[in-house]
Amino acid sequence: MEPAVVDAGSGILKFNHALPEYGPEVIPTQMKQVPEDESSTDASLLENVIVDPVVRGFIRDWDAMEDLLSHVLYTGLGWEIGNEGQILFTDPLATPKAVREQLVQMMFEKFNISGFFASEQAVLSLYAVGRISGCTVDIGHGKMDIASVIEGAVQHISSRRFEIGGLDLTNLFAQELRKSNPLVNFSISDVEKLKERYASCAEDDAAYQKIQQACPEEQHTLPDGQVIKIGRERYTVGEALFQPSILGLELHGIVEQLVRCISTVSSENHRQLLENTVLCGGSASMTGFEDRFQKEASLSSSAIRPCLVKPPEYMPDNLSKYSAWVGGAILAKVVFPQNQHVTKADYDETGPSIVHRKCF
Amino acid sequence: MSWQTYVDEHLMCDIEGHAGLRLSSAAIMGHDGSIWAQSSAFPALKPDEITGIQTDFNEPGHLAPTGLFIAGTKYMVIQGEPNAVIRGKKGSGGITIKKTGQAMVFGLYEEPVTPGQCNMVVERLADYLIDQGL
């Protein structure tokens, strides 16, 4: 049986057997808590509580995560109780040791799997494009990571994690839309879909300024029938990553952050890192984001310009959204057959701390 | 048990399940750098390299920008455990150093030994020494 690869993000969970050509199955990570007692038949009392097992990239609600994973593994992938296979997880940057250990513990004790491996998302995204060194800019739903990887090892000193992500962009979009359409009620899931459809990046700073003054407006009909106008708000969302002051944060734009992170690495590696930059994550597939990134990169203050890597032709087109999963599938094909993973026997002998020794 | 026996039988042993696969060299030395026992191929560390390693145990992140030097060879510092383990990588080989109460256990490996296997060997012995109060 093929090992399973799971990439649990704050917004969507990607899972499938380790078949890189096929890409992952995708389900939202958000869960609704169903009240246990069925005696209350009064519908108005049933409050649907939304539970987020993964917050800002890290697993926070372990019971919810367990329920989600049993659905994914037993129902989604067709595992049978008593015959569980091997699984590879992806970790975001700077995952606390306790979180990793708790995940290993849950997998071996509750799910009784036969083999486990965990790897950092930055390394996996690079494997997906066929590199072992380079830097990744991973813009996810709950967090943004800028990581530099040399020969498969993340350089933690020069990697940074930001607590902004697609979620904050959605909130910004909702805020802007409410300002220009004051009579319309939005729900967050509607705004999320609108953002995915309409958000784009202006070509450069000057173009953005022009758009702020005058922008063609588009009409859009919401599922409940209300009609809204979307104009320059869509560009505001795209601009927020390059000028975080729009989100109210005192940070430099994304390209500047990348250059600063790389500058803390010894200079012999600079070229290798900057010329192999990978953009991944859902928000990085915004219209115009790559072009804007390239443009900002050519204006950046470093001697070596960041260059984006082109994914190999045999990879599917929307690779940047799922590159961590695809890299995980590639790694799973190497690690499990060679027995470099954590086996049940290893776990029984050493305990959860074995994940720090064997998985990196 | 002499310290040399520890090195020969527990560090330079066959990695479990893989006959003939072992670390390329290993050593146990005190916190001050004095060698308690070493394998025949273990390289001679220079005094400032030993000081660098000691400083990195006390202030994690000290060696990362410059690199870890062992007898003049440069290893790239990868994720270790602050105040406990230093791990370095050089091409397909590398080094793991774990600090115990009074000593430091070194293990150097080359292909086809994996980093995980080196960690297991070095850290298992070091954990045993920590339990014994050494």
Side-chain angles (χ1 to χ4, degrees):
Chain A
M1 189 166 63
E2 294 278 347
V5 179
V6 173
D7 180 4
S10 328
I12 33 183
L13 185 123
K14 282 81 69 187
F15 69 94
N16 207 339
H17 295 291
L19 303 160
E21 319 80 65
Y22 284 110
E25 304 283 334
V26 165
I27 60 171
T29 318
Q30 226 176 37
M31 298 166 74
K32 268 200 206 144
Q33 192 166 46
V34 177
E36 280 192 16
D37 59 43
E38 293 162 10
S39 56
S40 58
T41 50
D42 192 352
S44 61
L45 285 181
L46 277 174
E47 267 194 45
N48 279 325
V49 181
I50 305 264
V51 175
D52 276 315
V54 182
V55 172
R56 300 281 172 197
F58 299 138
I59 301 178
R60 290 266 178 256
D61 188 341
W62 291 95
D63 294 322
M65 195 64 201
E66 194 189 321
D67 289 335
L68 183 62
L69 279 175
S70 34
H71 171 77
V72 158
L73 296 173
Y74 295 122
T75 324
L77 288 180
W79 275 16
E80 290 154 7
I81 301 189
N83 189 21
E84 286 87 356
Q86 301 154 327
I87 192 165
L88 185 141
F89 267 92
T90 68
D91 293 326
L93 197 65
T95 305
K97 284 166 69 166
V99 170
R100 271 184 132 197
E101 286 184 13
Q102 201 159 358
L103 180 65
V104 171
Q105 190 170 11
M106 181 173 86
M107 293 317 293
F108 276 112
E109 290 181 11
K110 302 244 169 83
F111 290 91
N112 205 24
I113 56 172
S114 55
F116 178 91
F117 200 79
S119 184
E120 276 164 313
Q121 289 163 358
V123 178
L124 296 178
S125 297
L126 279 169
Y127 287 164
V129 295
R131 304 269 191 285
I132 52 172
S133 308
C135 42
T136 64
V137 178
D138 185 344
I139 311 175
H141 184 78
K143 54 87 191 157
M144 191 165 89
D145 282 340
I146 295 181
S148 49
V149 177
I150 298 181
E151 293 199 6
V154 176
Q155 303 295 96
H156 288 92
I157 291 225
S158 56
S159 306
R160 282 198 65 181
R161 175 196 149 87
F162 301 97
E163 304 274 330
I164 57 175
L167 183 64
D168 306 283
L169 295 180
T170 308
N171 288 335
L172 176 71
F173 199 36
Q175 201 183 352
E176 293 289 311
L177 283 176
R178 284 204 188 98
K179 273 196 268 188
S180 54
N181 294 290
L183 301 171
V184 183
N185 274 331
F186 295 102
S187 70
I188 286 291
S189 51
D190 284 341
V191 180
E192 186 90 30
K193 293 198 189 75
L194 288 174
K195 179 193 77 166
E196 283 171 27
R197 198 162 146 195
Y198 285 104
S200 25
C201 290
E203 275 168 12
D204 59 20
D205 215 6
Y208 178 66
Q209 298 297 337
K210 261 199 304 191
I211 285 172
Q212 284 296 82
Q213 278 139 24
C215 178
E217 287 200 340
E218 271 186 48
Q219 300 252 359
H220 177 83
T221 319
L222 289 175
D224 54 4
Q226 304 177 76
V227 177
I228 55 168
K229 295 207 191 88
I230 302 179
R232 63 185 137 141
E233 295 85 11
R234 47 198 291 208
Y235 289 100
T236 315
V237 174
E239 191 67 23
L241 288 171
F242 295 98
Q243 289 183 42
S245 48
I246 296 176
L247 283 166
L249 295 165
E250 275 188 40
L251 292 173
H252 293 275
I254 209 174
V255 179
E256 186 63 32
Q257 295 284 9
L258 176 65
V259 169
R260 270 159 193 252
C261 286
I262 303 298
S263 61
T264 53
V265 172
S266 63
S267 49
E268 63 210 24
N269 295 316
H270 281 177
R271 177 167 291 273
Q272 203 182 24
L273 289 174
L274 284 175
E275 294 195 344
N276 290 310
T277 309
V278 177
L279 290 180
C280 33
S283 307
S285 51
M286 226 189 286
T287 334
F289 184 80
E290 264 193 51
D291 296 326
R292 178 66 188 275
F293 190 92
Q294 300 251 19
K295 198 134 195 214
E296 294 269 329
S298 61
L299 294 169
S300 80
S301 50
S302 127
I304 307 171
R305 309 263 170 270
C307 264
L308 295 180
V309 163
K310 217 166 99 62
E313 282 119 31
Y314 48 79
M315 284 298 173
D317 271 327
N318 58 348
L319 183 66
S320 64
K321 268 191 162 186
Y322 308 125
S323 53
W325 184 90
V326 174
I330 294 173
L331 186 65
K333 288 176 112 76
V334 169
V335 158
F336 288 112
Q338 289 186 6
N339 284 332
Q340 287 176 22
H341 57 281
V342 178
T343 59
K344 186 99 173 74
D346 288 333
Y347 174 79
D348 287 335
E349 192 187 308
T350 325
S353 59
I354 192 167
V355 70
H356 307 300
R357 286 184 204 177
K358 274 201 140 184
C359 297
F360 63 99
Chain B
M1 278 245 271
S2 72
W3 290 111
Q4 193 61 45
T5 326
Y6 273 115
V7 170
D8 295 333
E9 289 182 23
H10 295 283
L11 289 176
M12 299 303 294
C13 55
D14 281 347
I15 290 174
E16 47 205 46
H18 301 85
L21 198 66
R22 56 181 62 157
L23 301 181
S24 47
S25 59
I28 305 178
M29 60 174 81
H31 286 182
D32 54 358
S34 55
I35 307 272
W36 294 6
Q38 63 183 26
S39 70
S40 46
F42 191 75
L45 289 174
K46 303 197 188 94
D48 49 338
E49 292 169 358
I50 298 177
T51 325
I53 293 172
Q54 288 158 342
T55 324
D56 196 75
F57 276 127
N58 295 329
E59 296 159 39
H62 171 77
L63 285 175
T66 52
L68 168 66
F69 286 89
I70 300 285
T73 327
K74 183 172 171 184
Y75 288 77
M76 181 177 79
V77 176
I78 54 179
Q79 173 81 310
E81 283 165 43
N83 307 113
V85 184
I86 296 176
R87 297 188 185 119
K89 188 166 127 80
K90 184 175 85 76
S92 50
I95 180 172
T96 305
I97 313 173
K98 182 151 182 174
K99 179 170 146 169
T100 70
Q102 298 172 25
M104 301 190 280
V105 182
F106 286 69
L108 282 88
Y109 66 95
E110 290 295 327
E111 208 168 13
V113 178
T114 66
Q117 285 163 336
C118 176
N119 284 335
M120 290 296 285
V121 171
V122 170
E123 296 188 34
R124 201 176 42 201
L125 179 69
D127 287 341
Y128 172 74
L129 293 179
I130 291 172
D131 284 338
Q132 300 298 307
L134 298 161

